[in-house]
Amino acid sequence: MATFNKRGYKSPKEKAEKLDNNYIEDVNVDVKDSATAKAFDTLDQSASRAEDFVAKNQKYILGFLTFVAVVTVSYLLYQKFIAEPKQEEAANELFVAQQNFQKALDDATGTKSDSLFNLVLKGSEGKLGMVKISNDYSGTAAGNLANYYTGIAYLNTKKYPEAIKSLEKFSSNDVMLSTLAKGAIGDAYAQQNKQKEAFDFYIKAADASKNDFTRPRYLLKAGKTSLLLGNKADAVKYFTDIKDNYDASPEAQQIDALIGLAQ
């Protein structure tokens, strides 16, 4: 029998597989070999170990958290009911002693200054003196400031070791006060003929701030102390610094004569 194709009939072609380079179909992944799965397994194991640790040490963890809470609450209560009232009490005690200190400075060349500085130290009018305030209220801002007043009062009543001890306890972010404290320690050493120690503190004071008040003041003292120590070259350097950079200061008035003396 003869075979023939019907008109218009075309034998079907095999359907070409569509290849999409951006998509891979029917890919089977063994979960056990997956890096991601391994990572999750590791996390699961770590979480399980952490849970075991918490379960076994729950008593200690809760105890630690309780300790932290108690410390925090205690600190807040201390600040509220002890530190703040103590600071306020110290400030009230400080007021009268500060007044006596100012009176003593105003009468620095008079006959009352020594007795006034003694009142600063010992107290008056039922209020504590600076010595007692610095001891009883240490750790407060007022107690710290009392160390400065105590040191200056001791310096003016010629109790130089006591002045140094008090001033070394004083610390402040106020550049002027901290500079004056360093310079006062230098003065206390100088009064005891400890010129090397005095020089060291005068330089610290001069370098602490380059303002027009304290720097020329302590450069002058450093220069004069250098002369006493026989260091003429250093003296010239400090005196010249005053001449070149602080010519309007009181310390510059006789600076040429001092430079000539040091050369």
Side-chain angles (χ1 to χ4, degrees):
M1 179 186 294
T3 60
F4 60 91
N5 293 329
K6 294 181 180 179
R7 182 178 297 178
Y9 171 82
K10 293 183 180 179
S11 60
K13 295 182 179 179
E14 293 185 5
K15 186 176 180 180
E17 292 186 4
K18 182 179 180 183
L19 181 62
D20 186 342
N21 292 329
N22 296 321
Y23 180 74
I24 300 175
E25 195 173 0
D26 294 333
V27 177
N28 293 321
V29 178
D30 189 343
V31 175
K32 293 182 180 179
D33 295 332
S34 170
T36 303
K38 289 181 180 180
F40 279 113
D41 285 343
T42 302
L43 290 175
D44 288 341
Q45 292 172 9
S46 299
S48 180
R49 286 195 295 269
E51 289 172 0
D52 291 342
F53 176 81
V54 171
K56 291 178 181 178
N57 299 278
Q58 185 173 7
K59 179 180 177 180
Y60 301 104
I61 293 172
L62 290 176
F64 175 74
L65 293 176
T66 301
F67 171 76
V68 172
V70 169
V71 169
T72 302
V73 172
S74 298
Y75 173 78
L76 294 174
L77 291 174
Y78 172 82
Q79 289 294 113
K80 181 67 176 177
F81 296 106
I82 297 177
E84 291 178 9
K86 191 175 183 180
Q87 169 62 27
E88 185 176 351
E89 184 180 326
N92 289 333
E93 291 288 346
L94 198 69
F95 180 70
V96 172
Q98 281 179 315
Q99 286 186 318
N100 287 327
F101 184 86
Q102 188 58 52
K103 290 176 183 177
L105 292 182
D106 293 341
D107 191 57
T109 58
T111 58
K112 296 181 179 180
S113 62
D114 283 354
S115 60
L116 286 168
F117 277 123
N118 281 319
L119 291 179
V120 171
L121 292 168
K122 297 177 181 179
S124 64
E125 301 178 30
K127 295 295 183 181
L128 300 178
M130 292 297 182
V131 175
K132 191 74 171 170
I133 294 171
S134 65
N135 291 331
D136 291 359
Y137 298 96
S138 61
T140 67
N144 178 53
L145 187 57
N147 287 318
Y148 175 81
Y149 287 120
T150 300
I152 300 300
Y154 275 139
L155 180 62
N156 281 277
T157 53
K158 301 180 181 179
K159 296 179 179 179
Y160 305 121
E162 293 88 344
I164 293 169
K165 185 177 179 181
S166 294
L167 289 167
E168 286 182 334
K169 291 180 182 177
F170 173 71
S171 63
S172 176
N173 292 326
D174 185 291
V175 174
M176 188 65 70
L177 274 183
S178 62
T179 299
L180 292 173
K182 291 181 179 70
I185 293 173
D187 290 340
Y189 277 120
Q191 291 297 324
Q192 298 176 85
N193 292 317
K194 296 180 178 180
Q195 303 303 335
K196 178 62 173 66
E197 292 85 350
F199 170 80
D200 290 341
F201 276 93
Y202 288 148
I203 289 299
K204 288 178 182 179
D207 291 342
S209 175
K210 296 189 176 181
N211 63 73
D212 293 340
F213 172 64
T214 60
R215 183 161 171 81
R217 178 179 182 177
Y218 293 116
L219 282 174
L220 182 64
K221 292 190 176 190
K224 288 181 176 180
T225 306
S226 293
L227 283 178
L228 292 174
L229 292 169
N231 299 326
K232 290 189 174 183
D234 286 343
V236 170
K237 179 175 67 173
Y238 301 132
F239 294 149
T240 302
D241 194 340
I242 296 172
K243 180 180 175 65
D244 292 345
N245 300 302
Y246 304 96
D247 59 325
S249 67
E251 289 77 13
Q253 291 180 3
Q254 298 179 342
I255 205 68
D256 287 331
L258 288 170
I259 291 174
L261 182 64
Q263 287 176 335

